[in-house]
């Protein structure tokens, strides 16, 4: 918050290689700051911070219209096809301290493709990294962003049916983070419509947290 009529929210993206992190980041920013492409290997090699233009009158708070600005930290896929887990983790830790050390992080978004089941007995590597980097409060500052949600419709599922059929691993994770999740669709909506819908859900979670942030010092 720099003044009473403006709010800056800080977000960080985590997830496996080719989960759609960079593409999701571009939608959140309303730009093409992050390089995104289909590839048989990890595309993002370094952490990168993007900052959106001002969204005037995005919301109301205390009877006043608020201008919103979004800052998004894109991170390499974890695990990565070329970089070690240790290297990625250290790089992300330094980026969190550099960009959000003082102002704090409002929300970590775990990016997960809807057409790639989350299976296994242990928590996925990206979740483990979030737990290690955000500490014991990670559950209060994490949400799942389901990308390629149009695949659900193509398969004949509703969002509720998709979650009912989800793996125990995913359901356990959702329970841990108080069922904070967002479905991001690519088909049928303009990029701006996609962006507004996702940001509205993000702000809903941030309000539920009473606008608190997680700091890195």
């Amino acid at each position: 918050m720099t003044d009473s009529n403006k709010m800056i929210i800080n977000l960080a993206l985590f997830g496996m290689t080719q989960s759609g992190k960079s593409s999701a980041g571009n939608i959140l920013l309303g730009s093409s700051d992050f390089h995104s492409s289909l590839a048989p290997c990890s595309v993002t090699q370094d952490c990168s911070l993007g900052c959106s233009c001002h969204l005037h009158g995005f919301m109301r708070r205390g009877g006043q219209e608020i201008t919103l600005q979004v800052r998004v930290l894109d991170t390499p896929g974890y695990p990565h096809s070329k970089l070690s887990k240790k290297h990625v983790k250290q790089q992300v830790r330094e980026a969190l301290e550099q960009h959000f050390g003082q102002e704090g992080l409002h929300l970590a978004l775990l990016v997960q493709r809807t057409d790639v089941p989350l299976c296994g007995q242990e928590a996925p590597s990206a979740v483990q990294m979030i737990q290690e980097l955000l500490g014991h409060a990670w559950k209060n500052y994490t949400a799942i962003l389901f990308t390629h949600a149009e695949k659900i419709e193509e398969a004949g599922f509703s969002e509720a049916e998709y979650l009912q059929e989800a793996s125990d691993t995913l359901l356990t994770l959702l329970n841990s983070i108080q069922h904070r999740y967002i479905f991001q669709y690519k088909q049928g909506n303009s990029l701006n419509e996609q962006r507004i819908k996702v940001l509205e859900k993000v702000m809903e979670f941030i309000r539920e947290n009473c606008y608190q942030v997680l700091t890195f010092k």
Side-chain angles (χ1 to χ4, degrees):
M1 272 292 221
T2 56
D3 58 57
S4 60
N5 296 320
K6 180 182 176 183
M7 173 176 282
I8 298 174
I9 60 170
N10 295 325
L11 311 173
L13 301 172
F14 297 86
M16 296 173 58
T17 289
Q18 289 293 307
S19 60
K21 294 186 307 302
S22 298
S23 177
N26 286 333
I27 289 174
L28 287 163
L29 295 173
S31 67
S32 55
D33 286 29
F34 305 133
H35 176 61
S36 175
S37 65
L38 177 65
C41 59
S42 302
V43 175
T44 302
Q45 305 289 325
D46 303 291
C47 291
S48 178
L49 185 74
C51 190
S52 75
C53 297
H54 293 99
L55 284 167
H56 297 285
F58 179 80
M59 55 184 280
R60 296 186 68 85
R61 188 180 182 192
Q64 290 187 319
E65 283 195 347
I66 301 296
T67 294
L68 184 70
Q69 189 170 34
V70 185
R71 299 171 75 220
V72 179
L73 180 67
D74 189 23
T75 66
Y78 191 84
H80 199 277
S81 64
K82 298 177 182 177
L83 306 174
S84 69
K85 286 187 174 183
K86 182 179 180 180
H87 178 88
V88 172
K89 194 183 302 178
Q90 183 59 31
Q91 187 185 145
V92 176
R93 177 179 284 110
E94 292 173 356
L96 288 170
E97 292 174 354
Q98 176 186 350
H99 299 298
F100 305 142
Q102 296 296 325
E103 296 180 11
L105 176 71
H106 288 91
L107 196 65
L109 292 171
L110 174 64
V111 182
Q112 171 70 30
R113 289 183 63 118
T114 57
D115 56 349
V116 178
L118 204 58
C119 301
Q121 297 299 315
E122 296 184 0
S125 295
V127 177
Q128 293 177 14
M129 181 166 71
I130 291 173
Q131 293 172 344
E132 291 180 33
L133 295 180
L134 303 193
H136 68 277
W138 75 275
K139 296 177 182 179
N140 300 323
Y141 294 92
T142 301
I144 298 178
L145 177 60
F146 289 110
T147 57
H148 300 80
E150 64 279 356
K151 300 290 185 181
I152 297 176
E153 293 181 338
E154 292 173 7
F157 289 105
S158 66
E159 292 177 6
E161 289 169 337
Y162 173 84
L163 293 175
Q164 286 173 2
E165 297 292 328
S167 66
D168 289 343
T169 303
L170 177 55
L171 293 176
T172 298
L173 176 58
L174 285 169
N175 285 332
S176 297
I177 59 174
Q178 294 90 54
H179 288 266
R180 285 189 295 267
Y181 61 85
I182 306 167
F183 284 97
Q184 179 183 293
Y185 295 84
K186 280 192 174 182
Q187 295 178 349
N189 295 319
S190 69
L191 285 175
N192 192 55
E193 287 176 337
Q194 292 176 44
R195 182 191 187 198
I196 296 301
K197 287 182 178 179
V198 173
L199 285 177
E200 285 176 346
K201 288 293 291 184
V202 165
M203 287 307 306
E204 179 184 319
F205 300 146
I206 291 174
R207 278 193 297 272
E208 289 174 356
N209 260 359
C210 301
Y211 300 95
Q212 296 180 92
V213 294
L214 197 61
T215 55
F216 306 89
K217 298 178 181 178

